[in-house]
Amino acid sequence: MSGPFARAASAAAEVAGRHADSVDRDARFPAEAFAALKDGRLLGAMVPRDFGGEGASLTDMAAVAHALAQQCPSSGLIFAMHQIQVACLVRHGQGSAWHRDLMARLAAEQLLLASATTEAGIGGDVRSSACSVEGDGDGDGDGFRLEKQATVISYGAEADAILVTARRKPDSPASDQVIVPVLKDQLRLEEIGNWDTLGMRGTRSIGYHLRAEGVRAQIMPLPYADISAQTMLPVTHILWSSAWLGIASDAVARAGAFVRAEARKRPGTQPPGARRLAEVTARLQTMRGMVRGAIAQFEEASDSPDRLTSMGFAVAMNTLKMSAAEMVVRIVEQSMLVAGLSAYRNDSPYSLGRHLRDAHSAPLMISNDRVLGNTANLLLAHKDNGSLFG
């Protein structure tokens, strides 16, 4: 991460850390952290310079998500989810005047983007939609209507725009989907249920009855299936994993601080948790290498739709998600064993209670079982070539 981004990320992470307990306790949106991210121009950093952004890379944004999650996992995950939508817009919207204007607004106003991909009645399958884009006429200036029972829209009430998936037309198959970015003043949100969860409480991932109206120029030109395969799926797994790595990194850092404090009490004697610390540090290094490798793999293939849509690439990204989601839980649990009761207490500087609760969301966000099933289907046709760098 380059100097300006690093400084802005560090400042925002410090703010996020100061308010993390309040965000978790009250299950509220981390407003202070996102005010700092806006001040640092990090929300629109990936927008190309031609449209007023900073032209930041996915590597830069992964590093920001990682830094935030070390202090406040909810802030890190929200930032990751926002940047997933930014990546879709930047990579697939530059050929459209409406989406170029949205990118310029994103950079100038530091808009916060959310997504509405899940829907009641489709069993968690984001590659199917029950709702559709409705309205007369097919011209860019013709109006549309859209109504969706979204089971989850994370931080929906705070978002300045929401990227909504829907069937292209009322008579389209469920899999013929498009993405429609809808601005805050174009939509109405009616809450469905509440948000009182074990962890990741600041994400405010509430269900909503969404109603929106706009013009057809807002519909992204490329089908959702292509956007998902080329950008949304890999970027989601990479940025989520970067945030989970942040949780794991801070857990190991706290465990290490505990062991060093114990060592100072008994100079010349290895503390009981030192060996466990070495073990969990090795696991953290493995997770870090895995995330870095996935980022490099994506950036190497980023200009090749054929590589991005290959079965081998999908298997690699699915494997990243499953492995990182399992590793963050294991690393936090091992770190807790290092620090013992001090990690178990909520009033300790080595406390890992929130880390543990937040980490357990990872295997549930796009269920690991679902990802495993999708990967199994891919492997029926795909055979790994056995190459070290393949």
Side-chain angles (χ1 to χ4, degrees):
M1 182 164 53
S2 59
F5 297 135
R7 288 192 293 273
S10 178
E14 190 276 330
V15 173
R18 277 195 275 122
H19 297 278
D21 286 341
S22 169
V23 166
D24 180 65
R25 181 182 63 248
D26 300 332
R28 67 172 182 84
F29 178 75
E32 299 86 356
F34 277 82
L37 288 164
K38 288 184 178 184
D39 288 344
R41 294 185 56 79
L42 288 171
L43 294 186
M46 272 208 296
V47 173
R49 294 185 184 277
D50 288 349
F51 305 111
E54 309 299 328
S57 68
L58 182 63
T59 300
D60 291 324
M61 296 301 94
V64 176
H66 176 261
L68 288 167
Q70 290 183 65
Q71 301 298 322
C72 173
S74 289
S75 295
L77 193 62
I78 293 170
F79 181 82
M81 290 190 282
H82 161 79
Q83 294 297 348
I84 294 161
Q85 310 315 310
V86 176
C88 292
L89 186 63
V90 167
R91 286 173 53 80
H92 305 289
Q94 295 190 39
S96 157
W98 194 93
H99 299 102
R100 289 195 298 270
D101 288 344
L102 178 56
M103 278 187 275
R105 281 194 62 187
L106 170 58
E109 303 172 36
Q110 295 294 298
L111 303 180
L112 179 64
L113 307 186
S115 72
T117 55
T118 59
E119 187 174 3
I122 60 173
D125 180 9
V126 297
R127 294 293 295 271
S128 297
S129 288
C131 68
S132 63
V133 179
E134 301 182 7
D136 298 324
D138 293 322
D140 283 354
D142 291 321
F144 75 81
R145 301 179 305 279
L146 177 58
E147 187 169 344
K148 182 166 188 163
Q149 290 286 118
T151 52
V152 172
I153 305 179
S154 297
Y155 57 95
E158 290 76 23
D160 299 304
I162 300 176
L163 276 66
V164 186
T165 54
R167 284 181 292 141
R168 186 179 300 277
K169 297 178 180 179
D171 58 354
S172 296
S175 60
D176 182 13
Q177 298 166 283
V178 293
I179 295 182
V180 189
V182 182
L183 302 173
K184 192 167 190 173
D185 60 4
Q186 296 178 314
L187 60 83
R188 287 178 292 157
L189 294 175
E190 178 186 341
E191 287 190 11
I192 303 172
N194 58 9
W195 183 246
D196 187 7
T197 54
L198 183 68
M200 288 297 180
R201 293 167 57 80
T203 65
R204 298 289 297 161
S205 301
I206 298 170
Y208 290 93
H209 186 176
L210 179 151
R211 298 179 179 88
E213 296 182 355
V215 294
R216 288 188 174 272
Q218 294 175 227
I219 301 171
M220 295 193 70
L222 201 65
Y224 171 64
D226 294 334
I227 295 175
S228 176
Q230 296 178 31
T231 300
M232 185 173 283
L233 185 146
V235 172
T236 294
H237 292 341
I238 286 169
L239 292 182
W240 282 2
S241 296
S242 299
W244 299 332
L245 179 61
I247 298 172
S249 297
D250 192 59
V252 174
R254 292 186 182 212
F258 174 83
V259 168
R260 287 188 289 275
E262 291 297 298
R264 286 193 292 272
K265 294 177 185 177
R266 303 173 184 84
T269 303
Q270 187 182 86
R275 287 179 177 270
R276 284 191 181 274
L277 177 62
E279 182 181 26
V280 74
T281 299
R283 191 177 291 266
L284 178 66
Q285 292 289 354
T286 299
M287 184 179 182
R288 182 176 291 126
M290 183 175 62
V291 174
R292 286 177 173 174
I295 295 171
Q297 187 174 4
F298 174 79
E299 294 194 331
E300 183 182 346
S302 62
D303 294 328
S304 172
D306 287 344
R307 292 179 65 181
L308 292 170
T309 55
S310 69
M311 284 187 287
F313 185 80
V315 167
M317 293 300 113
N318 285 353
T319 301
L320 167 69
K321 191 278 172 184
M322 291 186 294
S323 299
E326 292 171 356
M327 290 181 79
V328 63
V329 174
R330 183 63 179 142
I331 288 171
V332 175
E333 289 175 341
Q334 286 183 292
S335 298
M336 185 168 279
L337 291 175
V338 171
L341 187 60
S342 293
Y344 191 70
R345 294 175 62 102
N346 287 324
D347 58 354
S348 160
Y350 312 110
S351 176
L352 293 176
R354 188 172 70 239
H355 298 67
L356 188 65
R357 289 186 288 105
D358 288 341
H360 274 284
S361 72
L364 307 177
M365 293 176 57
I366 308 180
S367 166
N368 266 17
D369 285 346
R370 178 180 291 277
V371 177
L372 189 63
N374 292 339
T375 304
N377 287 333
L378 291 170
L379 291 173
L380 294 176
H382 172 72
K383 181 179 179 181
D384 190 275
N385 64 15
S387 169
L388 177 60
F389 299 104

